[in-house]
Amino acid sequence: MLRVLLASLTLLLFAASSARAYTPESGVWWNPAESGVGYQIEVQDNFVGMFIYYYHPDGRPEWYTSAGFLQGNALFEGTVERYENGMCFGCTWVRNNFDQNMGTVRVVFNADDPTRAIMTMGGRTFPIERYQFYLKRPEDGSASIRLTKMLGEWSSTIDLSSVAGPASYPYSGDILVFDLLDTSQAPGFFDGCRPDNSADGFCSDDAIEWHAASGYYDTVDRRHMIVVDDSEDFYALYELKVGSNDFRGRMALYPKGTNPVDYYPVRGFRTASRSFVEDGVGPAIKRTADADGKRQRADGGLGALLEGMGAFDKSPDTGPKSLGDDARLTQIRQMLEQRLSGAR
């Protein structure tokens, strides 16, 4: 019965995902209930290469491969092949040989979370997820990985095509840095800023004073909520589904003291590691030249851009559908706004 239920659920997930912009994450995957075995899944364009690390009944390690094209954007089915007589550790290279066809593997990726999937192989159906090596550190204590993985720098592209006039470019962007965890209230918050420029990768005193940011993970609807002190007059709200290094969702810019009305599609990716943000050393996408200058004015945010485009003069357009319950969205947004009001 459980296997039938899981199979039905995976079919529903696949059907729901077929129209969405979605790519499963490449990397090492595992089933947390079966430590010691794993799956290396590499997605390039719509082609999947999979390497499976299991053991022979006598205890010897074995590896298997499967490769082929995704069906749609969230379903992979392929043949599992076993190889033997390859190169040993420290030995001269020799070509390995195909040994045996082991059957088929089926992976249905979760279109709402690119780090999770359901696998069927060897007569079993079980969950797998992306293995996180260091997005949560020992010094993070009880903090959830949903919070710790947000530490670092993130860049986003905002789709403003619904308000862009003939002379306006339909896209805008934003950069957010998160460098602090606050677990004094469960499940906790991640705090940071919109930095002064795209080169620094950290929160200056000016950035914290004028453009502080605070985020929260909603465990009920499984989404990240972020509010940014956009300017003296506006807040920016992000409602996101976040993977290991990218996100997608919607954002809103709204006058302080009001509720957001218009939402715009947004997607983004990590542009600097936690190590770079905290210590200045680590992976980062940065230009080598010095920063051109700091953002000085509190009223120069994205809200002013939209106001100049006449976005607030138009009839309400709710834009992309909410990722969860709107009542909870309002409660979390107001909680984050209160945190920011005390940041100055």
Side-chain angles (χ1 to χ4, degrees), residues 64-281:
Y64 311 85
T65 67
S66 186
F69 291 97
L70 283 168
Q71 299 180 34
N73 56 11
L75 173 65
F76 171 73
E77 293 180 319
T79 300
V80 179
E81 298 178 340
R82 184 172 69 183
Y83 290 80
E84 64 177 2
N85 297 327
M87 178 179 174
C88 64
F89 186 80
C91 301
T92 302
W93 177 84
V94 294
R95 184 181 297 278
N96 59 4
N97 300 312
F98 170 76
D99 176 41
Q100 185 178 351
N101 183 325
M102 304 297 293
T104 60
V105 59
R106 175 185 172 91
V107 182
V108 181
F109 296 96
N110 186 332
D112 286 326
D113 187 341
T115 67
R116 295 178 183 272
I118 298 293
M119 174 177 281
T120 300
M121 185 175 65
R124 299 189 306 130
T125 297
F126 50 93
I128 59 173
E129 62 186 59
R130 177 85 183 275
Y131 186 79
Q132 308 292 357
F133 289 94
Y134 202 50
L135 293 182
K136 176 177 169 62
R137 302 179 181 181
E139 61 264 31
D140 294 332
S142 61
S144 167
I145 192 172
R146 300 293 181 177
L147 303 181
T148 62
K149 74 176 182 178
M150 297 304 297
L151 297 179
E153 180 190 84
W154 299 81
S155 295
S156 63
T157 299
I158 306 159
D159 182 352
L160 301 178
S161 57
S162 61
V163 296
S168 301
Y169 196 66
Y171 304 104
S172 186
D174 202 1
I175 297 177
L176 300 176
V177 169
F178 298 106
D179 57 4
L180 184 66
L181 296 176
D182 180 357
T183 57
S184 60
Q185 177 182 338
F189 302 89
F190 49 96
D191 296 320
C193 71
R194 175 186 292 155
D196 294 319
N197 53 67
S198 64
D200 285 348
F202 65 91
C203 290
S204 68
D205 291 341
D206 285 345
I208 295 174
E209 181 179 1
W210 294 112
H211 303 289
S214 186
Y216 179 88
Y217 179 69
D218 180 6
T219 57
V220 176
D221 290 321
R222 298 178 66 180
R223 61 186 173 184
H224 286 79
M225 305 290 301
I226 299 168
V227 173
V228 185
D229 193 351
D230 177 68
S231 67
E232 195 168 25
D233 300 318
F234 290 91
Y235 281 126
L237 168 68
Y238 288 84
E239 181 184 355
L240 306 171
K241 292 288 188 178
V242 183
S244 298
N245 293 297
D246 60 9
F247 63 73
R248 58 186 172 88
R250 67 179 190 170
M251 71 91 66
L253 289 153
Y254 57 102
K256 292 180 177 179
T258 70
N259 297 321
V261 174
D262 297 306
Y263 289 87
Y264 307 97
V266 64
R267 54 184 171 180
F269 60 99
R270 188 190 305 275
T271 45
S273 63
R274 173 180 177 177
S275 294
F276 185 89
V277 166
E278 292 181 345
D279 305 320
V281 178

